[in-house]
């Protein structure tokens, strides 16, 4: 029984991948001749995969190197967003006045697409790099804001009572009681925010033409090398999956306390 | 004037009058228990006496001064342990020591913390988090945290309510011992739904009638020699008389079945007052 479960655990995901691969082959054969099939995709992109850290030109680089540029930008934008998001979440969660004043604005800002923010960033900063960071930070911060806010509201009265009867200073109450109590919620927010940051990076690189997975994707589309588009898509998916898993692990460790 | 004085305290939650004209005076160094059924307003009474909540009418004073907020020289033990789960037992106690003695050196604070945990028999478990400790051990940590600040006043909010009978009996003995050996005399105000617990620990017992409109009866002094144990208290003549007195007061002053009680969940096991006749 255990053997069968292990077999199913390995075989079923493979079956899923095989199915998508066949669908891909079918689409490239029957629907669009421009879409390279999996084998052609591999042939044309193996240089990028097998020499992942080689730099041959501004855009012509190994896939890991390209991904690392994107990741660095995501990390910067994400941290920038979190620096604003966490205090904002705390204020919204602890002050009814602040919540009433800013909640409607936040609800309006939240659904705005990165594609809409980027031009504003370019107008504000006149350079593509800070504009990209601005967009990532602004788009990715909302889950952290909302989750931190809910976390602050969910702090059990018990913990607040502890702070009260021990007569902790305001600073101690924050660092020893409120912040640790909110941390698990914050990490749920971080995980969602990082996912959004990774979504935004591709769009912002495509629009600004900066080197990275998204920039490379757009350049290869313009130079009609379609197999590289598929390589980028797969890379974006795998890296995004890895990021989510890593954040998931961090979240589990925080929650285990 | 007594050390702790409550005079004509009333408290309403919305239209519901929980406490009516509660008077209580506690002398310095005395151990006083308030016995009452669940949902009779015991916790409300204790939070008013400790300054965590404000009374609608009446006054509360400690050492002759009107009470404003939880007093500096006091500590409290809650039924729910109220330990911070992200800290170890040691860190939980040290947090209280840090807050109470801000001008001490780190070494002295650590020493005090360790001593407090050893006093409750947790010398081996200091590095453990609350989630790794049993209910009884958690409550020991909470008791260590309370005694670590050398309190003049100790408030106990059904401290053993969530524990099994055996652990409960052991911790009662420990608490009685801690009160004896404390660096300065401790004045204790405890609430409980267990009459025997009150008899084992207290100098005087007050019964709180069933809510709504709960009020305190006259003081019942307990003059049994210390140390008392659950076993000696069980068949003692005076203890039997006290039990009867409390049971009579509680049954004669209960207006309605008080099931529509306080907002917190009522543990079903605590619904019946534990009176062994």
């Amino acid at each position: 029984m255990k053997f069968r479960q292990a077999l199913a655990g390995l075989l079923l995901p493979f079956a899923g991948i095989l199915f998508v691969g066949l669908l891909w082959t079918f689409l490239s054969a029957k629907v669009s001749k421009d879409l390279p099939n999996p084998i052609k995709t591999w042939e044309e992109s193996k240089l990028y995969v097998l020499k992942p850290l080689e730099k041959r030109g501004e855009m012509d680089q190994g896939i890991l190197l390209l991904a690392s540029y994107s990741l660095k930008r995501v990390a910067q934008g994400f941290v920038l967003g979190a620096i604003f998001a966490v205090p904002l979440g705390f204020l919204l969660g602890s002050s009814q006045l602040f919540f009433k004043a800013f909640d409607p604005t936040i609800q309006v800002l939240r659904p705005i697409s990165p594609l809409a923010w980027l031009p504003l960033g370019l107008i504000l900063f006149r350079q593509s790099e800070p504009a990209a960071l601005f967009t990532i930070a602004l788009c990715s911060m909302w889950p952290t804001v909302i989750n931190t806010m809910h976390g602050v509201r969910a702090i059990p009265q018990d913990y607040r009572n502890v702070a009260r009867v021990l007569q902790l200073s305001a600073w101690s109450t924050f660092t020893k009681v409120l912040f640790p109590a909110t941390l698990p919620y914050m990490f749920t927010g971080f995980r969602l925010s990082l996912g959004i940051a990774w979504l935004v990076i591709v769009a912002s690189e495509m629009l600004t033409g900066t080197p990275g997975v998204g920039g490379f994707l757009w350049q290869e589309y313009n130079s009609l090398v379609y197999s590289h588009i598929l390589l980028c898509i797969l890379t974006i998916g795998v890296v995004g999956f890895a990021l989510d898993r890593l954040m998931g692990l961090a979240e589990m460790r925080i929650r285990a306390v | 004037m007594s050390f702790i004085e409550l005079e004509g305290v009333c408290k309403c939650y919305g239209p519901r009058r929980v406490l009516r004209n509660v008077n209580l005076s506690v002398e310095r160094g005395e151990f006083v228990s308030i016995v009452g059924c669940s949902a009779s307003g015991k916790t409300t009474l204790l939070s008013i006496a400790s300054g965590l909540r404000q009374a609608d009418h009446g006054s509360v004073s400690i050492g002759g001064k009107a009470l404003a907020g939880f007093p500096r020289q006091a500590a409290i033990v809650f039924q729910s342990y109220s330990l911070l789960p992200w800290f170890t037992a040691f860190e939980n106690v040290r947090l209280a020591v840090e807050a109470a003695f801000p001008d001490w050196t780190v070494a002295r604070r650590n020493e005090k913390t360790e001593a407090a945990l050893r006093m409750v028999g947790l010398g081996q478990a200091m590095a453990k988090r609350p989630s790794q400790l049993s209910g009884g051990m958690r409550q020991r940590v909470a008791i260590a945290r309370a005694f670590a600040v050398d309190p003049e006043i100790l408030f106990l909010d059904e401290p053993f309510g969530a524990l099994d009978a055996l652990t409960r009996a052991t911790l009662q003995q420990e608490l009685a011992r801690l009160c004896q050996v404390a660096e300065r005399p401790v004045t204790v105000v405890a609430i409980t739904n267990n009459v025997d617990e009150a008899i084992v620990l207290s100098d005087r017992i007050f019964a709180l009638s069933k809510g709504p409109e709960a009020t305190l009866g006259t003081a019942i002094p307990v003059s049994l020699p210390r140390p008392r144990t659950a076993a000696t208290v069980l068949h003692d003549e005076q203890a039997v008389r006290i039990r009867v007195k409390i049971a009579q007061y509680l049954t004669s002053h209960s207006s309605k079945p008080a099931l529509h009680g306080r907002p917190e969940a009522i543990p079903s096991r605590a619904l019946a007052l534990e009176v062994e006749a």
Side-chain angles (χ1 to χ4, degrees):
Chain A
M1 207 57 208
K2 262 209 172 134
F3 176 71
R4 275 183 63 178
Q5 270 174 5
L7 200 69
L10 273 175
L11 278 183
L12 288 178
F14 260 107
I17 293 169
L18 195 70
F19 173 76
V20 175
L22 287 173
L23 188 70
W24 176 2
T25 315
F26 170 80
L27 286 175
S28 66
K30 297 286 172 201
V31 179
S32 167
K33 291 277 182 260
D34 288 335
L35 182 73
N37 65 27
I39 292 159
K40 190 172 172 228
T41 304
W42 169 248
E43 285 298 325
E44 287 182 4
S45 356
K46 70 180 173 194
L47 176 67
Y48 293 88
V49 180
L50 295 177
K51 289 181 176 167
L53 296 173
E54 196 178 55
K55 186 170 181 175
R56 291 173 293 268
E58 171 71 5
M59 274 293 181
D60 191 18
Q61 304 187 30
I63 197 69
L64 278 185
L65 217 51
L66 287 170
S68 73
Y69 300 145
S70 299
L71 276 173
K72 192 178 154 213
R73 219 167 275 133
V74 161
Q76 288 171 335
F78 169 73
V79 169
L80 189 70
I83 287 172
F84 287 98
V86 170
L88 189 59
F90 263 97
L91 283 172
L92 285 169
S94 42
S95 159
Q96 201 60 41
L97 208 74
F98 194 87
F99 176 78
K100 282 199 177 124
F102 286 99
D103 184 59
T105 315
I106 286 171
Q107 297 305 333
V108 170
L109 292 180
R110 214 154 60 101
I112 297 171
S113 148
L115 301 172
W117 284 120
L118 195 70
L120 186 67
L122 287 169
I123 295 168
L124 280 172
F125 301 105
R126 294 175 190 284
Q127 273 174 355
S128 61
E129 199 65 32
L133 294 187
F134 165 79
T135 309
I136 296 167
L138 207 57
C139 289
S140 72
M141 68 192 279
W142 306 117
T144 304
V145 171
I146 305 289
N147 276 282
T148 306
M149 178 185 88
H150 283 302
V152 171
R153 289 198 186 145
I155 297 172
Q157 189 58 40
D158 260 10
Y159 300 165
R160 293 181 187 273
N161 278 343
V162 170
R164 256 180 98 189
V165 302
L166 298 185
Q167 325 220 350
L168 301 181
S169 64
W171 177 245
S172 279
T173 303
F174 178 73
T175 55
K176 305 272 167 88
V177 182
L178 303 185
F179 191 81
T182 317
L183 208 56
Y185 289 84
M186 264 160 55
F187 260 79
T188 305
F190 287 159
R191 186 182 182 175
L192 297 170
S193 284
L194 195 62
I196 290 181
W198 187 242
L199 284 179
V200 172
I201 186 71
V202 176
S204 72
E205 281 178 358
M206 279 167 84
L207 285 179
T208 56
T210 37
V213 185
F216 183 61
L217 192 155
W218 193 243
Q219 183 206 264
E220 296 306 279
Y221 168 71
N222 286 326
S223 20
L224 311 175
V225 192
Y226 295 149
S227 56
H228 291 170
I229 295 179
L230 291 160
L231 170 70
C232 287
I233 289 176
L234 285 173
T235 309
I236 292 164
V238 170
V239 172
F241 174 69
L243 279 182
D244 190 62
R245 275 299 153 98
L246 280 175
M247 283 308 277
L249 284 177
E251 201 185 334
M252 290 248 289
R253 287 205 60 168
I254 294 288
R255 281 192 187 274
V257 167
Chain B
M1 196 176 187
S2 305
F3 185 43
I4 303 174
E5 283 268 4
L6 273 73
E7 261 184 51
V9 165
C10 296
K11 180 78 188 175
C12 298
Y13 290 130
R16 220 173 84 84
R17 202 167 184 195
V18 185
L19 297 174
R20 182 179 57 85
N21 193 26
V22 172
N23 298 295
L24 174 72
S25 45
V26 182
E27 300 302 327
R28 201 179 271 274
E30 208 182 9
F31 195 123
V32 163
S33 288
I34 294 157
V35 183
C37 308
S38 309
S40 60
K42 292 194 302 283
T43 299
T44 305
L45 175 53
L46 193 79
S47 43
I48 288 172
S50 60
L52 287 175
R53 246 178 259 190
Q54 288 237 304
D56 296 337
H57 299 286
S59 66
V60 183
S61 70
I62 288 180
K65 282 185 214 148
L67 186 64
F70 194 81
R72 257 233 166 268
Q73 70 275 28
I76 188 166
V77 178
F78 297 105
Q79 177 178 2
S80 55
Y81 319 127
S82 295
L83 300 175
L84 302 176
W86 45 88
F87 285 152
T88 61
F90 185 83
E91 289 165 334
N92 265 291
V93 177
R94 193 179 55 189
L95 187 64
V97 176
E98 277 171 359
F101 308 110
D103 39 350
W104 282 15
T105 61
V106 174
R108 192 163 170 211
R109 283 187 209 147
N110 287 348
E111 223 169 86
K112 181 77 185 168
T113 306
E114 231 182 289
L117 280 157
R118 283 192 201 291
M119 287 284 281
V120 296
L122 284 180
Q124 304 300 314
M126 292 195 288
K128 290 199 168 142
R129 289 181 197 277
S131 57
Q132 297 167 294
L133 299 172
S134 67
M137 285 164 98
R138 283 182 214 182
Q139 201 55 296
R140 277 166 197 264
V141 178
I143 290 171
R145 181 173 65 185
F147 276 95
V149 301
D150 294 332
E152 263 186 277
I153 308 163
L154 185 59
F155 295 105
L156 303 173
D157 185 357
E158 290 194 58
F160 310 131
L163 304 176
D164 63 273
L166 278 174
T167 315
R168 198 172 178 145
T170 324
L171 278 180
Q172 282 166 13
Q173 294 306 314
E174 298 238 345
L175 180 68
R177 185 178 58 84
L178 286 168
C179 290
Q180 297 295 314
V181 302
E183 283 189 23
R184 47 179 173 178
V186 197
T187 309
V188 187
V189 180
I191 59 171
T192 177
N193 57 17
N194 186 315
V195 176
D196 280 1
E197 181 171 292
I199 297 174
V200 168
L201 292 169
S202 322
D203 300 312
R204 284 190 302 153
I205 303 175
F206 291 87
L208 185 69
S209 63
K210 247 182 195 172
E213 304 218 342
T215 193
L216 284 179
T218 48
I220 304 165
V222 188
S223 59
L224 271 91
R226 290 177 189 269
R228 309 165 187 158
T229 64
T232 59
V233 155
L234 197 57
H235 299 294
D236 183 272
E237 247 180 74
Q238 190 191 6
V240 172
R241 272 202 310 276
I242 292 170
R243 268 182 223 122
V244 171
K245 231 177 180 173
I246 292 172
Q248 274 173 349
Y249 178 81
L250 290 178
T251 43
S252 63
H253 284 81
S254 56
S255 39
K256 303 165 210 169
L259 267 175
H260 48 88
R262 51 183 174 188
E264 306 103 278
I266 303 162
S268 58
R269 132 193 74 67
L271 271 174
L273 185 73
E274 295 167 34
V275 178
E276 290 149 51

